[in-house]
Amino acid sequence: MSKRHWPFLLGGLLVALLLAGVVSNYASSHPDGLDSSLLKGCTVNADDEITGGSCPAQQAKDHELADSPLADYGVRGIGNDFVSTGLSGVLGVLLTFAASGGLFWLARRRGPATPAAPVTPATPTATADRADEAATPSGGTR
């Protein structure tokens, strides 16, 4: 990678870290389209807990990774929700950047796989043949 690409790459990383670390805390806490469509037919309280009715969300189970360190858009063990969510976003950006950078590094061009064929000087007859082809109206054979 040439040196002129590094400022652009680092600037993009900085913007992504800023968005993930700070702006992600201001995302909507209301359920998105999938969550709200799964709640149709049920009644919910102020804490979004199902209190009655019948809906597909009642059959929902906890995910297998619900106990993981980055579950529920936060870092387990940090009491401050703002810091926990921001740190989770920053870790996600850094992990994604490292994984994609590693894949690009593996897939980069390393030069030609075989040595290039040596260039042979043109012979006078080959040059004359090319000039004859160019002189014909169709550009091909006579």
Side-chain angles (χ1 to χ4, degrees):
M1 179 180 287
S2 69
K3 291 186 181 197
R4 65 183 178 154
H5 294 290
W6 283 108
F8 179 74
L9 188 65
L10 293 177
L13 179 62
L14 182 66
V15 168
L17 288 171
L18 181 69
L19 289 172
V22 178
V23 178
S24 63
N25 283 294
Y26 299 104
S28 175
S29 62
H30 297 291
D32 62 4
L34 178 61
D35 288 340
S36 63
S37 68
L38 291 176
L39 289 172
K40 288 192 186 228
C42 285
T43 55
V44 293
N45 62 12
D47 296 326
D48 289 331
E49 296 171 351
I50 299 172
T51 57
S54 175
C55 63
Q58 290 174 322
Q59 284 79 31
K61 299 175 184 167
D62 279 340
H63 192 272
E64 295 171 357
L65 299 176
D67 297 341
S68 69
L70 297 176
D72 291 331
Y73 303 105
V75 177
R76 188 175 356 135
I78 296 181
N80 186 337
D81 286 342
F82 188 87
V83 173
S84 176
T85 301
L87 186 59
S88 174
V90 166
L91 288 173
V93 166
L94 291 175
L95 287 172
T96 302
F97 184 77
S100 61
L103 288 174
F104 279 110
W105 181 79
L106 287 174
R108 74 187 188 282
R109 282 192 177 173
R110 297 182 182 178
T114 59
V119 176
T120 57
T123 61
T125 57
T127 306
D129 289 344
R130 281 192 222 122
D132 287 342
E133 288 177 8
T136 59
S138 65
T141 59
R142 293 181 229 172

